[in-house]
Amino acid sequence: MTGSHALPLLLGVRHHGPGSARAVRAALDAVRPRAVLIEGPPEADALVPLVGDEEMRPPVALLAHAVDEPGRSAFWPLAEFSPEWVALRWAVENGVPARFVDLPATHVLALRGEDGPEEGEAPAPVLAKDAEKDAAEGAAPARGAVAPDGSAVGADGTPAAGGEAAPPGDGPGPAGDEGDTGARNADPRVDPLAVLAEAAGYDDPERWWEDVVEHRGAGEDPLAPFAAVEEAMGALREAYGTGGHDHDPVREAYMRLQVRAARKEFGDEIAVVCGAWHVPALRRRSTVAADRALLKGLPRIRTEMTWVPWTHRRLSRFSGYGAGIDSPGWYGHLFSAPDRPVERWMTKVAGLLRDEDLGVSSAHVIEAVRLAETLAVMRGRPLPGLGETVDAVRAVMCEGSDVPLELVRDRLIVGDVLGEVPSTAPAVPLRRDLERQQRALRLKPEALERERELDLRKENDAARSRLLHRLRLLSVGWGEPVTSRGGTGTFRETWRLRWEPELAVRVAEAGVWGTTVLSAATAKAESDACDATALAEVTALAERCLLADLPDALPTVMRALADRAALDTDVAHLAAALPALVRTLRYGDVRGTDTGALAEVAAGLAERIFVGLPPACSALDTEAATEMRRHVDAVHAAVGLLGGVPAVDPEGLRSRWHDVLGRLAARDTAPGVLRGRSVRLLLDDGALDTEEAARRMGLVLSPGTEPADAASWIEGFVGGGSGGLLLVHDERLLGLVDAWLTGVPAESFTDVLPLLRRTFSAYEPGVRRSLGELVRRGPAAGGGAAAAPAPGFAEDLDTARADAVLPVVRLLLGLDTGPDPDPDHRSDATVEAAA
């Protein structure tokens, strides 16, 4: 090593900063150290050689988890533009030893514990539990949780990763200097980056950092920027102390010990890459005894460590997990662009917008570059930054609209890059089996959310379905089933797939259940069946077992199902459990599974519901009645599905169910919403004709019935999506409702209005419009046919107009579209179909 700079060489960086990464590479090329020490967990030293593997593609992360409790875990993310990654690559390529020198993960996980950091304490490194919670809530830490080493974006308070997610003053003072006045008086909400920016005349810390670091050109002395950063951080540490972050003194004491050990082995010719905030603490002299005293008595926990894929989205604060940058895609571009970064960026944006069928020409690119450069000059910036490029793209390429700009933000500024790790990286056996199946089924994990249509009649798609269902049983949420747009057949499934880095933790957790996905899912299902307390949980589990094709788990699940069904006397619980069981019986054969064992249980549940439902529907309040109505609908649908299961005696069940509905419809003590619903279900099944339904409605809507009870009956009878169509096509029922409604006393109308609004608001807009037309036209004479035809319809069929649409009908149906051989002759069936 040459030069007059203090030794060992301390390279203070901003984590995930492309400017810091370029500076680190230039410094290492200039001084050629004998060893490189990097802030990170020492357990990862054995994983350093994998950095040079051809299969390794950043962004990646070091994952540490407790052996006996895989859910207790932490990540150290690294991107291509992370200074630590650049240092690792340089060391591997030049044959120089690289070692991690931060506090070991065995202590980090033990210190953090199961519940993560205490309130107000930012995690360092990122705990998987905290990352998932933030991602689910979409939350970001409070302003001020930023280290002055540039490890986080000072303007928004987003914590950093790679061991840097700390409040201002991240790091200790001199070893043993716990009584430092600055530390006691430090304001944990002060943003030291903002202090430096304000001193330079900037009102935005992030803009200041970009101007002085990210946009800085190559200088004659590659070590000069690190000397300047060290001087600035030293002044800030002197002013603000440790910032009250309890674990930083311990971390920095360990780092000092590791630096001493490296100096004994390699001499002073070593380079240390760490968060800039730690540099003053590592530079100060302290005794070995003082540092070891800080480390004495630290708790330990047995851990394992490996590389896992990471994503640019997870490096962004938009994901809820803050890694110090809100534009990883932009930073990756700045780091990788060999020259003319703005021109290359605008070209990328134009390509993306063209792929989305937006008209963007080369002239747009040229004008956007000019505008970005002009804005930079007007704002006094050395080069256009992200703000200038975004403003230029919005004005020129997006024509002032933020809608296409959001696409640019999502795809390019943030990005969906998913890293890759070598197959030789350490992993639990379950993960190995999962990776093998992913390759065999050609189901590659991707960071970008995608939908996949699976045809269960195809062997490969059926195997994909089984894998995804088994992973869901193991709480590995790689795929989420969604409603299919292509049809409702039972042979079709639609999955929304998206691989998140935290799923690696879920796979490690699931490893306690088995070494393969099949064995682990089977063991987990058996355990869940034994632990389930509600009958509906067991029936849902039985359905999931069949979807996942877990025949070895079914006997245990069936025993639990029989036990819960025999002991549970609550009709609501039985009604909630029956639909999942019936779906399993009805659709399980699509996958070729044996569902015969479930038929007897389903029939027994249905009989118990039939006996207990009418008494259970008495004396219910409004909320309970609404809930029971949902149960009645679900049981009705389940009984209908049992028509495809001959072993359950479907015709007998359907007849007995109609008897139950009839008793419920006539039960005066039942709420109106249940009585009305029972009549409607009988009408839909053909067990009640229209004349009888109208008679019952007329009785309920007579003046002697309380308006609130009548409105509740109407809600049950015509509520739901298809109730409006019933009124549209049967004007007699509509007339009864209209006549009752106009006769409601004024003092009662306010009470029934919410019920009516809730009933009719569920209709489609077209149905509501048709009902409005019918009501405006008035009731038909005698309550029968309409007095006047509806707009657009004649009293008789217009065959000439029907003939005119036949060519279009043939075209839609794929029939012969040639001239009609007999234009003067139309069969009645053809004319009726065309009309």
Side-chain angles (χ1 to χ4, degrees):
M1 296 178 69
T2 62
S4 59
H5 297 277
L7 299 177
L9 183 62
L10 301 183
L11 304 179
V13 301
R14 173 188 181 177
H15 301 289
H16 309 311
S20 293
R22 287 193 301 267
V24 165
R25 185 165 56 191
L28 294 178
D29 284 337
V31 301
R32 314 294 297 182
R34 295 178 59 194
V36 178
L37 308 184
I38 301 169
E39 184 179 329
E43 292 93 339
D45 286 351
L47 302 176
V48 169
L50 293 174
V51 171
D53 195 292
E54 293 182 355
E55 297 181 16
M56 182 72 85
R57 296 285 187 276
V60 293
L62 290 166
L63 165 63
H65 65 85
V67 174
D68 299 324
E69 191 180 352
R72 186 184 294 190
S73 54
F75 295 102
W76 285 260
L78 297 171
E80 181 184 12
F81 48 84
S82 299
E84 299 88 348
W85 179 259
V86 170
L88 285 170
R89 289 284 302 180
W90 186 92
V92 171
E93 291 170 358
N94 290 274
V96 173
R99 297 176 183 175
F100 290 99
V101 295
D102 201 353
L103 193 66
T106 183
H107 299 309
V108 171
L109 296 181
L111 285 170
R112 298 303 180 179
E114 213 171 27
D115 297 327
E118 298 177 358
E119 185 176 358
E121 181 186 356
V126 179
L127 294 178
K129 190 172 185 179
D130 300 332
E132 288 182 358
K133 179 180 178 182
D134 288 343
E137 297 175 354
R143 176 179 173 86
V146 182
D149 58 10
S151 62
V153 178
D156 61 16
T158 308
E164 286 304 313
D170 175 17
D177 192 16
E178 289 80 3
D180 181 86
T181 304
R184 290 197 306 268
N185 298 331
D187 180 1
R189 299 194 63 81
V190 171
D191 181 358
L193 269 186
V195 175
L196 294 176
E198 183 178 0
Y202 283 74
D203 57 359
D204 182 356
E206 179 65 11
R207 188 161 59 88
W208 170 79
W209 181 266
E210 282 196 357
D211 287 352
V212 301
V213 177
E214 304 305 337
H215 296 163
R216 183 183 58 82
E220 295 182 1
D221 185 357
L223 302 183
F226 296 106
V229 168
E230 180 176 348
E231 181 180 357
M233 294 303 153
L236 289 171
R237 290 291 290 257
E238 184 176 349
Y240 295 107
T242 64
H245 193 53
D246 295 338
H247 294 316
D248 268 356
V250 178
R251 294 173 56 202
E252 291 169 344
Y254 187 86
M255 283 192 274
R256 283 192 293 268
L257 291 175
Q258 295 299 101
V259 171
R260 288 191 186 98
R263 294 177 74 178
K264 288 182 179 179
E265 183 176 355
F266 301 103
D268 286 339
E269 298 180 13
I270 62 173
V272 182
V273 180
C274 64
W277 186 248
H278 299 301
V279 171
L282 298 185
R283 184 70 72 188
R284 289 179 180 175
R285 296 185 178 278
S286 64
T287 64
V288 173
D291 287 340
R292 287 178 176 172
L294 287 173
L295 299 171
K296 186 177 181 180
L298 286 179
R300 302 174 64 90
I301 188 171
R302 196 157 61 100
T303 61
E304 289 182 350
M305 180 162 285
T306 186
W307 289 106
V308 295
W310 203 252
T311 67
H312 272 182
R313 195 168 300 278
R314 270 287 182 256
L315 289 171
S316 159
R317 72 165 178 255
F318 298 123
S319 68
Y321 156 59
I325 51 173
D326 59 0
S327 51
W330 166 252
Y331 273 17
H333 170 77
L334 289 181
F335 181 74
S336 59
D339 55 15
R340 308 180 71 179
V342 177
E343 289 85 345
R344 294 177 183 274
W345 177 257
M346 294 301 183
T347 304
K348 282 185 179 181
V349 173
L352 172 64
L353 296 179
R354 287 170 185 162
D355 291 342
E356 298 297 326
D357 294 330
L358 296 176
V360 179
S361 67
S362 56
H364 286 89
V365 176
I366 295 171
E367 187 58 33
V369 171
R370 288 175 177 172
L371 180 56
E373 292 174 344
T374 302
L375 289 174
V377 172
M378 294 176 63
R379 295 170 182 176
R381 308 196 66 181
L383 287 174
L386 181 60
E388 287 71 34
T389 59
V390 167
D391 290 343
V393 168
R394 180 192 289 111
V396 178
M397 297 185 184
C398 301
E399 298 181 350
S401 173
D402 282 339
V403 176
L405 187 62
E406 284 303 312
L407 180 67
V408 175
R409 291 185 189 277
D410 185 67
R411 299 282 185 85
L412 293 182
I413 297 177
V414 176
D416 285 301
V417 178
L418 175 65
E420 299 179 13
V421 299
S423 57
T424 54
V428 296
L430 179 63
R431 179 181 163 191
R432 291 286 183 217
D433 182 65
L434 173 59
E435 292 173 347
R436 179 189 60 79
Q437 294 193 49
Q438 287 171 336
R439 289 192 298 269
L441 299 175
R442 298 186 298 279
L443 205 57
K444 183 180 179 180
E446 295 178 291
L448 183 64
E449 185 174 275
R450 295 186 183 274
E451 284 194 2
R452 278 188 176 268
E453 296 278 352
L454 301 182
D455 186 342
L456 302 181
R457 296 169 297 184
K458 299 178 179 178
E459 183 178 351
N460 194 63
D461 279 1
R464 289 173 172 176
S465 173
R466 288 193 294 269
L467 174 63
L468 294 172
H469 279 294
R470 289 169 182 172
L471 291 176
R472 279 174 55 81
L473 266 171
L474 293 170
S475 300
V476 181
W478 178 21
E480 184 72 23
V482 296
T483 303
S484 174
R485 295 191 300 268
T488 57
T490 60
F491 60 85
R492 187 187 306 275
E493 280 185 351
T494 302
W495 289 83
R496 182 175 293 124
L497 302 179
R498 183 172 183 171
W499 186 266
E500 298 286 1
E502 285 78 16
L503 294 180
V505 179
R506 292 285 165 257
V507 173
E509 285 184 294
V512 302
W513 298 106
T515 57
T516 66
V517 176
L518 175 60
S519 63
T522 299
K524 183 67 162 56
E526 292 174 343
S527 176
D528 289 348
C530 296
D531 295 339
T533 56
L535 179 60
E537 294 178 11
V538 187
T539 55
L541 182 61
E543 181 182 19
R544 297 177 70 183
C545 285
L546 285 173
L547 294 174
D549 190 15
L550 303 176
D552 293 340
L554 273 180
T556 302
V557 176
M558 290 305 303
R559 285 195 298 270
L561 179 58
D563 293 343
R564 303 296 188 281
L567 297 176
D568 202 328
T569 58
D570 191 314
V571 173
H573 292 170
L574 299 176
L578 182 63
L581 194 58
V582 170
R583 286 195 303 269
T584 303
L585 280 168
R586 184 68 179 86
Y587 299 140
D589 60 340
V590 175
R591 293 169 173 78
T593 53
D594 182 15
T595 59
L598 301 177
E600 184 177 348
V601 178
L605 281 182
E607 293 290 352
R608 293 174 62 191
I609 292 171
F610 296 166
V611 173
L613 184 62
C617 292
S618 299
L620 298 178
D621 59 19
T622 302
E623 184 177 350
T626 303
E627 180 66 22
M628 187 60 75
R629 171 191 161 180
R630 287 194 287 267
H631 288 315
V632 170
D633 286 344
V635 172
H636 183 77
V639 171
L641 289 177
L642 283 174
V645 187
V648 191
D649 185 22
E651 293 305 322
L653 282 179
R654 186 182 294 272
S655 176
R656 290 194 293 278
W657 174 240
H658 289 163
D659 292 340
V660 172
L661 292 177
R663 294 199 304 272
L664 186 57
R667 197 177 187 91
D668 294 336
T669 56
V673 66
L674 292 176
R675 289 185 281 118
R677 197 60 176 174
S678 299
V679 173
R680 170 64 187 283
L681 295 177
L682 290 171
L683 177 65
D684 289 346
D685 274 7
L688 201 67
D689 58 28
T690 307
E691 295 287 340
E692 179 62 17
R695 186 187 71 83
R696 295 195 183 193
M697 177 182 280
L699 291 176
V700 171
L701 301 183
S702 62
T705 306
E706 288 291 330
D709 188 49
S712 177
W713 196 95
I714 291 175
E715 181 185 12
F717 185 76
V718 298
S722 60
L725 291 175
L726 182 65
L727 295 179
V728 168
H729 293 291
D730 195 328
E731 290 195 38
R732 179 173 43 184
L733 297 180
L734 178 61
L736 289 172
V737 175
D738 184 52
W740 167 80
L741 185 58
T742 56
V744 173
E747 60 274 11
S748 302
F749 186 77
T750 304
D751 296 333
V752 303
L753 185 59
L755 288 175
L756 296 174
R757 281 181 173 172
R758 183 170 63 191
T759 300
F760 294 106
S761 65
Y763 298 163
E764 293 290 335
V767 174
R768 292 201 300 269
R769 185 166 51 251
S770 298
L771 287 175
E773 281 291 327
L774 292 172
V775 171
R776 183 186 61 81
R777 198 178 67 215
F793 293 90
E795 295 182 359
D796 299 322
L797 185 65
D798 189 339
T799 57
R801 295 179 67 186
D803 291 345
V805 303
L806 287 179
V808 178
V809 173
R810 290 195 185 97
L811 179 62
L812 293 175
L813 297 179
L815 303 176
D816 180 18
T817 56
D820 191 351
D822 186 6
D824 297 325
H825 177 72
R826 303 284 188 272
S827 68
D828 293 340
T830 303
V831 173
E832 183 178 353

